[in-house]
Amino acid sequence: MLNDLWIDLVTTATLGTERRAPAWPQPAGQLGALLSQVGPADREGALLSAAAIVSLYRRAARLPQPSDTPALPAADQDDLPACPPGALQHLAALLDGAQRGLLPEWLAALAQSGRRVPAAYLPALLELGCGQPALHAQIVPVLGARGRWLATQNPAWSYAAPAGRSSLPRADDRAALAGAWETGARPARLALLLELRTRAPQIARELLAASWATERADDRAAYVAALEHNLSDDDEPLLEAALDDRSKEVRRAAALLLARLPHSRLVGRMCVRAQPLLAFVAERPRAFGVRRSRAPQLVVTLPAACDAAMQRDGIVPQLPGHRQKLGERAWWLIQILSAIPPAIWSEQWQVAPATLIGIAAHGEWRQALLEGWQAAALNARDAGWAEALLRHGQSTADLISVLPAERQDALLIEILRGDCTPLHKHPVLDMLRKTEHRWSAALTRAVLRATHRHMRSWNDSYDYQLRGALTDEFARRMPPELLPEIMASWPDEPAVRERWQGVIDKLLITVQFRHDMLRALG
């Protein structure tokens, strides 16, 4: 009845009141009583009045149908005090996108103060965490009881739900887990797999193994890569079996994870392959004072072929397009070395990593040796080898993450004491950009001194990488308590200020924001 009445009004409006006089059925009840009061003398006014009455009725005058769904349990009383009111302006700016990269620091400071995010900001924060798994560890401690309760109401927020109240099945409910795995799409399955890797890794492996034969190749590769979370020796049988997969991507993903397990069979096979390829020849003394001593050297024999067993273990036989100058056999050697913990070589030959790296750097196959050892140090998280490679100066900056924060600072300060100008072309810039901790005051001052030297002595329009680092990574790593010192230390030369003032201002805005937001949190 109501829809017919609305359609009749729309039709009259479309045709025009001159061609069709307003006339409509009179429904019973309050709606009919209101429509009966509309006078027909003013056709246009009557039509508009009736339309207003019916439109409002359609939007607000019907009660919702009763639901059989039981009411949700009420949230517990919050167990943490809310963050100070003065800090809310910073949280709102962070959630809206301004200085979004500083949100982890704000959340960590809030957790350290023993406070929680206010209720009004919980949905936006939980939703943001859906697309940024790296934030999960910072979000959960600051939710409070209401936030944890809210996380149970939306499956997408289950990462923050308390144990036992997650929307995902319980680890002891095998039937529910199997049903969720069988019916879920890849995102839901990955969420289930990652949660089980923390709660019950054995069940995660069982679910994956049960459906392995029916999965698509790209799905299998994604699920294998997810095993990186909480990787252990117990995962080796499943990963070893994945080396026989028909998909190259699956085999490669499994081999990469097995290389991170120092006691895996794959690492053992790589060691067997590498032994005849590398030999350390120690220094030879003089013979009867006639011949000069011979310096130590590494004798390298390149692999003769890349057989099927090597390819099964993840060694790619074809050179990538951008590595054509390297040579196939050197490419195979790099891949073999990358899967072997580098400490094996220093222990086997009783030679320090720095000495071996220095010898390799002067040999014919220095690129293959150094590149293979770099990848191996990353896989094994070997801090001694990582530092020795970084000191050599030609290694990937990713190795800096292997070192503890204190050793990172000490190494970077030592490098910055030398001549790092131009800074945008020096390897230390990439190392600084890869750091993730708050710098010490000593490192901050060393970075500022090197930056000032660069500003005064180098005029290069291509130093955009340094400019980006200053306004992004550097501004987030400098301790905000040094704000007065950071503000006062920039060169005053007009030419320098003209080129760098915008970068300096942007850096200071970020450091000032960090200073203010941390002070507001107390």
Side-chain angles (χ1 to χ4, degrees), residues 357 370-371 373-374 385-399 427 430-431:
I357 293 165
L370 294 178
E371 191 172 330
W373 284 341
Q374 289 169 26
W385 269 86
E387 184 168 350
L389 286 162
L390 287 167
R391 288 182 180 277
H392 184 262
Q394 297 180 356
S395 302
T396 173
D398 291 332
L399 286 169
D430 285 337
M431 297 183 202

Side-chain angles (χ1 to χ4, degrees), residues 192-453:
L192 176 60
L193 192 63
L194 290 174
E195 181 161 333
L196 287 174
R197 292 294 293 173
T198 300
R199 291 194 286 156
Q202 174 61 29
I203 298 177
R205 289 190 294 269
E206 292 174 358
L207 290 175
L208 184 54
S211 64
W212 184 266
T214 60
E215 303 289 353
R216 299 186 308 172
D218 56 342
D219 288 340
R220 294 197 304 275
Y223 300 147
V224 167
L227 298 181
E228 178 184 12
H229 183 68
N230 204 18
L231 181 68
S232 71
D233 289 334
D234 293 334
D235 299 313
E236 185 187 1
L238 178 60
L239 294 171
E240 182 74 23
L243 293 177
D244 295 314
D245 196 88
R246 57 185 179 273
S247 167
K248 178 176 64 177
E249 288 74 18
V250 175
R251 296 195 302 270
R252 182 60 180 162
L256 288 173
L257 293 184
L258 286 169
R260 294 179 54 183
L261 297 173
H263 304 296
S264 68
R265 285 172 284 171
L266 180 140
V267 171
R269 294 192 294 269
M270 292 296 192
C271 289
V272 171
R273 293 185 181 108
Q275 288 301 328
L277 304 180
L278 290 186
F280 177 75
V281 179
E283 180 180 358
R284 295 180 181 178
R286 296 183 181 185
F288 305 107
V290 177
R291 298 178 62 186
R292 291 189 299 177
S293 62
R294 184 176 179 181
Q297 61 178 314
L298 284 168
V299 179
V300 178
T301 303
L302 297 179
C306 184
D307 56 27
M310 292 169 64
Q311 294 180 47
R312 178 183 182 270
D313 285 342
I315 296 178
V316 180
Q318 296 84 16
L319 268 170
H322 64 287
R323 307 301 302 273
Q324 293 301 317
K325 294 182 179 180
L326 181 64
E328 274 188 341
R329 298 170 68 194
W331 170 238
W332 302 337
L333 177 62
I334 289 174
Q335 296 177 82
I336 292 173
L337 292 178
S338 68
I340 300 173
I344 286 178
W345 305 112
S346 49
E347 293 171 2
Q348 174 178 316
W349 297 324
Q350 290 299 295
V351 180
T355 302
L356 290 176
I357 293 165
I359 296 171
H362 294 89
E364 179 182 2
W365 303 107
R366 56 184 174 273
Q367 182 178 0
L369 292 175
L370 294 178
E371 191 172 330
W373 284 341
Q374 289 169 26
L378 276 172
N379 282 334
R381 311 301 292 177
D382 190 313
W385 269 86
E387 184 168 350
L389 286 162
L390 287 167
R391 288 182 180 277
H392 184 262
Q394 297 180 356
S395 302
T396 173
D398 291 332
L399 286 169
I400 197 74
S401 66
V402 178
L403 305 182
E406 296 80 6
R407 290 177 68 178
Q408 291 184 35
D409 282 15
L411 174 63
L412 292 167
I413 291 171
E414 182 177 337
I415 296 173
L416 288 167
R417 286 197 185 110
D419 184 7
C420 298
T421 305
L423 190 54
H424 69 292
K425 294 184 178 180
H426 197 279
V428 75
L429 176 61
D430 285 337
M431 297 183 202
L432 290 166
R433 299 188 76 171
K434 293 290 184 178
T435 58
E436 297 182 354
H437 65 284
R438 181 185 293 189
W439 294 346
S440 65
L443 176 57
T444 300
R445 295 181 180 117
V447 170
L448 289 172
R449 287 193 296 268
T451 303
H452 300 162
R453 287 197 300 269

Side-chain angles (χ1 to χ4, degrees), residues 94 97-105 476:
L94 294 170
Q99 301 285 1
R100 175 68 60 79
L102 301 180
L103 183 58
E105 184 177 17
R476 298 177 187 175

